[in-house]
Structures are given as C-alpha cells and as structure tokens.
C-alpha cells in the first residue's frame, strides 16, 4: 500500500509541473489533458485525475455533466484553479439526467389519474450524471422549469407534478405518455455543482440546473483561501432536505454556501438567478469563526433570498468576524420559482437571519441596491426579531418596482424600522 501511495504522490508531483489540464466535450479521457488538442472529455475524469494545485480549464461553449469535486491546492500560494479557455459562452456544469425520448421508458400507473412513471436510476431509461441518487429538485420539460415536487406519489395530481422514490422511480402527472408531450425531459438531481476545498480559485464557469447547491464548502472539513469570480449560477436547488418529516415539505438549495468552519473567501462579480433558497449564505454550527468572507459586486435575481446567515451552538468567541455583503444588486428577490412553490414565504426577503446563537457578530451589509422588493428587506428569526448589534445595515438603496421606496442611511435601527414594518 505504501508503494502505491508513494507512486501516486510522485505522479501528481510530475503532473503538477505541467500545470494545466484541459477538458472539452470533444476530448478523450484516454488522452493526457495537457493541451486543448489532447483534452479530457468528462468531469468524471477531471475529478479522478486532477492533482492538488493544478489548473483545470473547461472549454467555452461546452456543456459538462456532473459536479466538480477535485482536491484543493497545497497552500494559498499554489491553489487549485478551475477556469475556462476558448471562445463563446462560459462552460456549463449541469447536474441532470435526461430521460430517453422513447414512449417505452414510461409506464402508465393509473390511466384514470394520468400518472406515469420511469426509473431514473436505470441507464436504459436515462443518460447524464450518476450523482444525486433519486432526489429530484425539479424537471426541465423542453427547457421549462417544472418545480412542483410532491413528497408522496399519491399527491401527484396536476400537470407535471412529480415525486421520486429512493429506489429511482419518478412519478409524473401527464395527460398522456410524457414522451409524446415533450421532446426533452431532464431531471435536476441532488448534486453539488462545485465542492469547494481549501486553496481553490473558481472563475468564469456557469452552473445551470442542479437540485442541490451551486457551490458549497465547509461543514465537516474546514475550508480556507477560496476565490470565486465571474461565475453564473441559474436553476439551483429544490431537492428534498433529508432528515425532516415529509409533513414539513423541506426543500433546499443555495447558490454559494459556506458551511461551518470556513474563512478567507471572496465571491465577486457573480450572477445568481433562480435559486430555491438563497444566493449566498454562511451557516452552520461552527468550531471556528467564519472570518474574512466577503460577497461583493454580484447580481442576484429571481431567487427566494439573497444573503442569509445563521449560527447555532457556537462556543464563546466563535461566530462571524470581518464578513460582508457589499456593493451587490438584487432584482425580484422574493420572487422566482422557488418562492412560488415553497410553503413558507414569510422568509422570501433579500436579507435573512435565522438563529444567531453566538456572542461574536461582525457582518457589514452596505452599499447594496435592492430592486422590486416584495415582502420587506429583512426577515429575522433571532431573539426579538432584530439583528444583533454586530450586523451593520447602512447605505443601502431599496426600490419597490420602478418607484424609489426607501433609502437606508445611518443607523441599523433606522434600517430595521423602515424595512420590516
């Protein structure tokens, strides 16, 4: 075993000197990936073969199936880089399965109730990502997002309602065989677009259509030194959050999430649309503080929330240190497909604070522009319904529709009074 590990380390050391690997939809996983002409073809190959500190470049104009999960760099000065090359639109990462357009893959379960089913884990019926098991966030029917997840197949009773069972069966309500009504049916699986690791740079990617998070790091493993820039995220989330009673109908999915034990991260110039939950979040039950995490100069549109924070069961002195949400623009947050189908719309606001069980809060929310605010600016579940004193809200502009409604200038108390009444 030691010999095998030593050989792998030597291989990665040799490959790292080459620096860059290329991935193209026209590539070949048997190639070396060292040039655009010898590019790899799949995300699976990238995940299996990229070494710490290498650069992965995905060809623009291509669509790649499956989430990226590669090792981070050895240190902050030598990060793993995930970026683009070539001309055209940003390379797209999508975590979907496509059902074969063949009527024979569908079985009529209840003709009188118009219920059909197919097994999405059976490769005879579908192609696409192997991740996400059978937890489905939404359907894409000829490109149109169908979000109406039912937690029991017996509740599938309206056109394109759907339910999925752990053994892979997807139940859909359709007036006739779904393959007759749609040329393409894609299923957004519960998979993460990019797993963030320490010492990682992600730029110029598009993550489109996944039932899980767009990007996520932290929780069980500490993550530090992350830079994310100029990425586009769209159609994110909606899968069932396992562990809750189905009676609560809990679904999830964030754009970019920093879970417990994250630090030193910058997210900038990103566009996030159509997220079931929130575009950006810091959340969890940390052993160390979220520190020096900044979201700046981004656009959030048609999502349920824009910026969420919560902290549970933190020890003294552990919480949020030098974090910010500054210079961003939000449009129609509180709207979008997620807000339309979620059972709890009271939290469909640009800013959201759940529990804040910490004595350490240093978060600045300033110089943002909030347009077409639907249900108020801030929903706060913390004690007293007001954010803690270390949550500084100032110099933000809020508009309702096309008419300027309020200017948040000055103290936090003025901002809370204006925006939550």
């Amino acid at each position: 075993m030691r010999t095998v590990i030593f050989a792998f380390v030597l291989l990665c050391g040799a490959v790292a000197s080459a620096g860059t690997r290329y991935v193209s939809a026209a590539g070949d996983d048997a190639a070396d990936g060292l040039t655009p002409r010898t590019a790899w073809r799949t995300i699976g190959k990238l995940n299996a073969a990229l070494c710490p500190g290498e650069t992965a470049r995905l060809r623009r104009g291509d669509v790649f199936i499956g989430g990226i999960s590669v090792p981070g760099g050895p240190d902050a000065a030598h990060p793993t880089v995930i970026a683009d090359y070539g001309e055209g639109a940003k390379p797209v990462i999508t975590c979907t399965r496509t059902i074969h357009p063949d009527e024979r893959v569908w079985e009529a379960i209840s003709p009188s109730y118009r219920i059909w089913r197919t097994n999405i884990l059976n490769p005879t019926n579908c192609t696409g990502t192997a991740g996400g098991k059978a937890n489905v966030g939404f359907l894409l029917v000829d490109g149109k997002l169908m979000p109406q997840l039912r937690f029991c197949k017996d509740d599938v009773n309206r056109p394109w309602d759907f339910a999925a069972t752990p053994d892979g069966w997807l139940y859909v309500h359709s007036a006739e065989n779904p393959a007759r009504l749609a040329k393409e049916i894609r299923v957004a699986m519960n998979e993460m677009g990019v797993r963030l690791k320490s010492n990682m740079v992600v730029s110029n990617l598009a993550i489109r259509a996944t039932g899980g998070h767009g990007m996520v790091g932290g929780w069980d493993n500490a993550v530090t030194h992350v830079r994310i820039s100029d990425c586009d995220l769209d159609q994110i989330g909606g899968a069932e959050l396992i562990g809750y009673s189905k009676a609560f109908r809990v679904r999830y999915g964030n754009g970019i999430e920093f879970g417990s034990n994250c630090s030193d991260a910058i997210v900038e110039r990103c566009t996030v649309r159509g997220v079931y939950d929130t575009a950006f979040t810091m959340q969890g039950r940390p052993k160390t503080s979220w520190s020096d995490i900044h979201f700046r100069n981004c656009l959030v549109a048609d999502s349920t929330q824009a910026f969420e924070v919560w902290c549970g069961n933190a020890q003294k002195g552990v919480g949020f240190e030098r974090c910010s949400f500054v210079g961003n623009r939000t449009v129609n947050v509180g709207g979008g497909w997620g807000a339309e189908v979620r059972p709890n719309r009271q939290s469909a606001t640009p800013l959201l604070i759940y529990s804040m069980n910490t004595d350490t809060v240093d978060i600045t929310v300033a110089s943002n522009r909030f347009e077409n605010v639907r249900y108020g600016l801030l929903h706060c579940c913390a004690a007293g319904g007001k954010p803690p004193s270390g949550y500084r809200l100032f110099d933000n502009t809020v508009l309702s529709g096309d008419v300027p409604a309020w200017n948040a200038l000055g103290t936090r108390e003025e901002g809370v009074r204006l925006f939550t009444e």
Side-chain angles (χ1 to χ4, degrees):
M1 179 62 72
R2 290 183 178 179
T3 301
V4 172
I5 294 174
F6 183 66
F8 178 76
V9 171
L10 287 177
L11 175 62
C12 278
V15 170
S17 65
T20 301
R21 298 285 187 161
Y22 295 86
V23 189
S24 162
D28 182 350
D29 285 347
D32 59 24
L34 294 176
T35 71
R37 290 186 177 182
T38 61
W40 292 332
R41 186 175 64 86
T42 67
I43 296 300
K45 176 66 175 182
L46 177 68
N47 290 341
L50 193 74
C51 292
E54 285 194 297
T55 294
R57 294 199 176 276
L58 281 63
R59 191 173 72 171
R60 280 180 168 259
D62 287 349
V63 177
F64 301 94
I65 305 295
I68 295 176
S69 182
V70 297
D75 53 52
H78 303 89
T80 296
V81 178
I82 306 170
D84 61 319
Y85 78 96
E87 303 294 332
K90 295 175 184 177
V92 174
I93 301 296
T94 186
C95 301
T96 60
R97 290 184 69 77
T98 301
I99 300 173
H100 292 311
D102 185 338
E103 293 183 22
R104 292 172 295 181
V105 307
W106 292 95
E107 176 185 0
I109 296 301
S110 175
S112 59
Y113 291 98
R114 301 179 175 182
I115 308 300
W116 301 77
R117 76 173 186 175
T118 187
N119 195 296
I120 57 176
L121 298 184
N122 186 339
T124 302
N125 300 335
C126 303
T127 59
T129 180
K133 297 184 179 180
N135 190 351
V136 177
F138 54 86
L139 307 180
L140 287 171
V141 180
D142 288 336
K144 183 177 180 180
L145 194 149
M146 302 296 183
Q148 198 60 53
L149 169 66
R150 300 299 186 182
F151 287 79
C152 175
K153 62 183 178 63
D154 295 332
D155 295 330
V156 173
N157 54 26
R158 296 185 299 180
W160 298 112
D161 278 8
F162 67 93
T165 56
D167 56 356
W169 288 105
L170 176 71
Y171 294 83
V172 173
H173 185 284
S174 180
E176 53 185 301
N177 190 304
R180 296 179 188 170
L181 298 183
K183 295 180 180 179
E184 180 186 71
I185 300 174
R186 294 166 59 201
V187 183
M189 307 299 288
N190 178 31
E191 192 173 0
M192 310 307 162
V194 176
R195 294 272 186 181
L196 300 172
K197 309 289 177 59
S198 289
N199 311 313
M200 181 171 282
V201 174
V202 184
S203 66
N204 289 304
L205 297 187
I207 300 174
R208 186 172 303 135
T210 180
H213 299 312
M215 302 186 195
V216 60
W219 295 99
D220 294 335
N221 299 306
V223 169
T224 188
H225 308 308
V226 173
R227 300 292 183 266
I228 303 170
S229 63
D230 302 292
C231 291
D232 300 336
L233 292 82
D234 191 11
Q235 299 176 338
I236 305 294
E240 179 183 359
L241 185 57
I242 304 299
Y244 288 82
S245 168
K246 291 186 182 294
F248 290 101
R249 298 178 294 164
V250 180
R251 302 167 70 177
Y252 84 112
N254 300 317
I256 300 177
E257 174 177 301
F258 292 103
S260 304
N261 312 312
C262 290
S263 64
D264 185 17
I266 296 175
V267 179
E268 57 187 348
R269 300 186 307 276
C270 292
T271 298
V272 183
R273 300 179 183 272
V275 175
Y276 180 82
D277 265 339
T278 188
F280 307 118
T281 181
M282 298 178 288
Q283 59 174 259
R285 298 172 178 83
K287 295 180 181 179
T288 60
S289 292
W290 292 272
S291 60
D292 302 292
I293 297 180
H294 306 284
F295 305 90
R296 62 196 189 197
N297 303 322
C298 296
L299 169 66
V300 180
D302 303 320
S303 300
T304 305
Q305 298 112 20
F307 179 57
E308 171 200 24
V309 293
W310 66 264
C311 177
N313 303 325
Q315 297 180 357
K316 184 177 178 61
V318 174
F320 301 91
E321 301 176 5
R322 302 177 302 280
C323 296
S324 70
F325 182 78
V326 173
N328 303 286
R329 178 188 175 206
T330 77
V331 180
N332 194 38
V333 169
W337 69 272
E340 291 172 0
V341 299
R342 65 189 299 124
N344 57 328
R345 294 191 186 183
Q346 70 272 17
S347 61
T349 54
L351 304 177
L352 176 64
I353 302 175
Y354 277 132
S355 60
M356 292 292 276
N357 298 321
T358 172
D359 63 358
T360 304
V361 179
D362 178 5
I363 301 173
T364 298
V365 179
S367 304
N368 302 291
R369 181 180 176 89
F370 301 99
E371 300 179 22
N372 194 20
V373 173
R374 293 184 167 217
Y375 306 111
L377 178 69
L378 170 68
H379 181 78
C380 183
C381 302
K386 291 186 177 181
S389 59
Y391 188 98
R392 295 179 298 277
L393 177 68
F394 61 92
D395 289 339
N396 298 290
T397 300
V398 180
L399 296 93
S400 177
D402 296 326
V403 181
W406 309 281
N407 260 332
L409 301 171
T411 67
R412 171 182 60 81
E413 288 76 17
E414 288 174 342
V416 172
R417 175 175 55 79
L418 285 172
F419 296 128
T420 60
E421 290 182 350

